């Protein structure tokens, strides 16, 4: 089996979790409700921890230490989707991103519980269980606010339409797609996107939100090959500030 | 003196979860294997949550307790081969949680196909299930927040996973 194919898969997953985890942590102290503050902070902690576990697998495949990988790369060396690096914006955008992203992520880990690559299959069982709390949280709020007042519905609808082209960028295919599928490591982005669409449609159908026809949208991709928006590098600078000052600091 | 793995398990009863000081790591179910070869003690453990910030502290506490008992060659490895679930908490551990004021997690596999187990957690005060889920995320990764309609008070549950 080709290590490069597996590494590419691990990097994009780990980077997605790390970058969105960091964005989630930016809600600490700013949530619209104390409960939401706590929720986004907890999800941040989960996501950063999960990224660390993925970087640890990468380390066992010969990549550098998790901290080095997380804190010393530049934007063009990151494989996260552009979707995850976008600023939090208003709560409605963060909620919609959380819903669209975590639904994809739990499906991805669900598929990976069957992976022929054993370390990833083992971790996937664990992460899938944890992510159930994230999707439970997202679904609850989307259902509530997606059927509440005119304003909440209109705001979510606008964020949904803004977010979807970026969300489709999560499924940008890897150069090793065929190999990953043939060797049973991962059943592929196309399959994942199909499963994701079924899930998000089911939730959206329980609300007053309208899902646009996705075939009319142009996916915003490039993140998987290191082509990012202007928002990633400032995030990385902030995230790695302590590490760059003192790589041995304990905290 | 030769120690058996049973001896080590007994010593590990002294090591408590840093976030829940009444619950030992053994009762929490995070110690998945202990083996002894000559002077070398090998411990395998698995975290409750992948991002559990207490993991490093737990490892240090294990080393400290074993060192206090004359064992200085201790290696601890972390793996997900046998992933932790809340069903791994022992009966003794569940009692300790309840005394601590935390509702123990419901037992069983179909946790999320049946959302009721989250919605109607048993209140650790009155034991009733006239309760509602306030937030699936609590003050630590492994706790959720609930409200008991009968006691009219909030309580926390150790989350089922
Ligand atoms: Zn009660």
């Amino acid at each position: 089996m080709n290590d490069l194919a597996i590494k590419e898969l691990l990097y994009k997953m780990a980077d997605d979790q790390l970058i969105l985890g960091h964005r989630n942590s930016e809600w600490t102290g700013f949530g619209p409700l104390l409960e939401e503050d706590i929720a986004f902070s907890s999800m941040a902690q989960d996501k950063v921890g999960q990224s660390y576990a993925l970087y640890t697998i990468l380390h066992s495949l010969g990549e550098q230490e998790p901290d080095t990988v997380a804190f010393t790369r530049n934007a063009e060396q990151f494989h996260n989707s552009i979707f995850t690096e976008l600023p939090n914006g208003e709560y409605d955008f963060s909620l919609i991103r959380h819903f669209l992203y975590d639904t994809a992520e739990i499906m991805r880990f669900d598929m990976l519980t069957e992976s022929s690559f054993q370390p990833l299959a083992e971790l996937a069982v664990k992460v899938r269980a944890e992510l159930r709390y994230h999707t439970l949280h997202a679904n609850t709020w989307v259902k509530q606010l997606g059927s509440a007042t005119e304003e909440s519905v209109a705001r979510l609808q606008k964020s949904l339409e803004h977010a979807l082209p970026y969300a489709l960028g999560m499924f940008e295919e890897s150069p090793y797609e065929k190999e990953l599928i043939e060797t049973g490591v991962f059943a592929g982005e196309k399959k994942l996107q199909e499963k994701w669409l079924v899930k998000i449609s089911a939730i959206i159908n329980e609300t007053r939100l309208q899902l646009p026809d996705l075939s009319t949208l142009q996916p915003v991709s490039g993140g998987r090959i290191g082509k990012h928006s202007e928002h990633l590098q400032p995030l990385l600078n902030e995230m790695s500030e302590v590490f760059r000052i003192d790589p041995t600091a304990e905290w | 003196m030769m120690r058996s793995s049973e001896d080590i398990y007994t010593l590990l009863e002294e090591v408590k979860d840093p976030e829940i000081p009444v619950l030992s790591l053994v009762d929490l179910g995070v110690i998945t294997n202990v083996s002894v070869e000559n002077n070398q003690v090998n411990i395998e453990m698995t975290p409750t949550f992948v991002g559990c910030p207490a993991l490093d502290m737990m490892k240090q506490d294990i080393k400290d307790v074993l060192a206090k008992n004359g064992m200085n060659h201790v290696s601890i490895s972390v793996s997900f081969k046998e992933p932790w679930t809340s069903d791994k908490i022992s009966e003794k551990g569940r009692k300790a949680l309840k005394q601590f004021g935390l509702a123990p997690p419901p037992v069983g596999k179909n946790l999320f196909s049946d959302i009721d187990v989250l919605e109607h957690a048993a209140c650790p005060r009155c034991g009733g299930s006239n309760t509602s889920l306030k937030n699936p995320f609590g003050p630590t990764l492994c706790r959720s927040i609930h409200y008991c309609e009968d006691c009219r008070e909030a309580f926390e549950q150790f989350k089922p996973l």
Side-chain angles (χ1 to χ4, degrees):
Chain A
M1 208 184 308
N2 185 347
D3 261 12
L4 284 177
I6 293 181
K7 284 182 186 175
E8 205 268 344
L9 175 66
L10 291 168
Y11 265 118
K12 76 178 169 192
M13 291 167 58
D15 291 349
D16 269 352
Q17 296 289 90
L18 180 68
I19 298 302
L20 190 56
H22 187 80
R23 285 294 185 216
N24 283 348
S25 75
E26 292 174 351
W27 275 113
T28 306
F30 294 97
L33 298 165
L34 179 61
E35 282 182 17
E36 281 307 280
D37 207 309
I38 295 172
F40 274 94
S41 308
S42 299
M43 292 190 288
Q45 211 178 342
D46 274 337
K47 288 193 187 321
V48 172
Q50 291 157 1
S51 75
Y52 190 87
L54 291 163
Y55 292 131
T56 304
I57 298 179
L58 278 162
H59 183 46
S60 74
L61 296 175
E63 297 297 289
Q64 288 184 289
E65 295 279 346
D67 280 345
T68 310
V69 169
F71 297 128
T72 62
R73 284 177 300 156
N74 292 315
E76 62 270 21
Q77 296 169 293
F78 269 77
H79 302 255
N80 60 288
S81 57
I82 290 174
F83 193 33
T84 58
E85 74 205 31
L86 296 177
N88 282 340
E90 299 282 332
Y91 177 76
D92 47 82
F93 176 73
S94 280
L95 173 61
I96 284 289
R97 172 167 59 185
H98 162 37
F99 167 64
L100 297 175
Y101 173 83
D102 279 298
T103 306
E105 215 47 25
I106 197 169
M107 306 300 307
R108 186 186 290 277
F109 279 101
D110 182 55
M111 287 162 72
L112 288 168
T113 61
E114 317 260 300
S115 177
S116 59
F117 180 54
Q118 203 53 31
L120 186 52
E122 285 166 6
L123 181 65
V125 171
K126 181 75 185 158
V127 172
R128 178 180 60 181
E130 295 181 0
L131 288 178
R132 282 176 185 160
Y133 282 99
H134 298 214
T135 50
L136 169 72
H137 177 263
N139 296 347
T140 305
W141 282 101
V142 166
K143 283 190 223 169
Q144 243 170 54
L145 295 175
S147 331
T149 64
E150 287 306 321
E151 194 200 350
S152 72
V153 174
R155 273 174 165 255
L156 282 193
Q157 182 67 35
K158 192 164 155 259
S159 283
L160 179 64
E161 285 167 20
H162 172 62
L164 275 169
Y166 292 97
L168 293 175
M170 294 189 288
F171 309 109
E172 181 178 355
E173 292 192 311
S174 147
Y176 307 104
E177 203 73 11
K178 191 161 166 266
E179 195 173 346
L180 289 170
I181 297 170
E182 279 172 2
T183 53
V185 173
F186 174 54
E189 300 294 336
K190 275 212 177 71
K191 185 101 176 258
L192 174 59
Q193 188 179 331
E194 285 166 21
K195 286 169 176 263
W196 169 81
L197 182 57
V198 173
K199 279 275 178 197
I200 61 159
S201 305
I203 301 292
I204 288 174
N205 284 340
E206 291 184 46
T207 68
R208 284 160 54 206
L209 302 171
Q210 303 286 332
L211 190 65
D213 177 1
L214 297 191
S215 65
T216 64
L217 302 176
Q218 181 62 40
V220 182
S221 46
R224 303 302 189 204
I225 53 167
K227 291 190 174 152
H228 292 280
S229 70
E230 72 276 21
H231 303 296
L232 182 60
Q233 192 59 52
L235 179 153
L236 295 175
N237 295 344
E238 190 195 291
M239 191 173 74
S240 58
E241 210 176 348
V242 177
F243 188 83
R244 283 175 203 258
I245 294 167
D246 178 8
T248 59
E250 301 228 359
W251 40 303
Chain B
M1 187 181 105
M2 273 296 285
R3 306 270 194 169
S4 67
S5 59
E6 284 77 23
D7 295 338
I8 309 243
Y9 268 108
T10 308
L11 290 171
L12 292 182
E13 294 272 340
E14 279 178 46
V15 186
K16 308 296 182 190
D17 179 340
E19 286 167 355
I20 307 166
V22 293
L23 185 63
S24 80
L25 298 192
V26 177
D27 288 317
L28 179 59
V30 295
I31 308 291
T32 51
N33 196 41
V34 173
S35 65
V36 189
E37 283 171 68
N38 302 320
N39 276 333
Q40 175 68 38
V41 179
N42 299 309
I43 293 175
E44 284 173 34
M45 64 184 296
T46 193
T48 49
F49 280 71
V50 175
C52 177
L55 189 66
D56 283 335
M57 214 187 293
M58 291 180 185
K59 284 158 96 176
Q60 193 54 50
D61 290 349
I62 291 174
K63 288 191 172 175
D64 290 348
V65 163
L66 295 182
K68 208 172 72 188
N69 287 276
M71 283 165 278
N72 294 304
H73 302 283
V74 178
S75 99
I76 303 172
S77 61
V78 174
S79 107
F80 297 99
K81 270 199 189 68
E82 206 185 306
W84 183 88
T85 74
S86 46
D87 284 355
K88 288 195 185 289
I89 302 176
S90 70
E91 202 43 50
K92 195 167 135 230
R94 298 174 60 80
K95 285 206 181 94
L97 283 175
K98 209 169 166 189
Q99 273 164 6
F100 189 65
L102 268 179
V107 182
K109 280 288 156 231
N110 307 317
L111 293 173
F112 283 84
S113 51
D114 182 9
I115 201 83
D116 275 5
V117 302
L118 284 173
E119 277 298 342
H120 301 292
C123 169
R125 231 171 265 113
C126 68
S129 59
N130 186 17
T131 67
S132 55
L133 174 68
K134 282 289 162 207
N135 194 341
F137 299 99
T140 73
L141 289 187
C142 56
R143 301 187 199 180
S144 48
I145 303 174
H146 304 255
Y147 184 79
C148 177
E149 305 291 346
D150 294 332
C151 302
R152 300 193 170 273
E153 268 189 80
F155 65 92
E156 293 172 11
Q157 173 172 256
F158 198 105
K159 272 152 89 157
L161 191 71

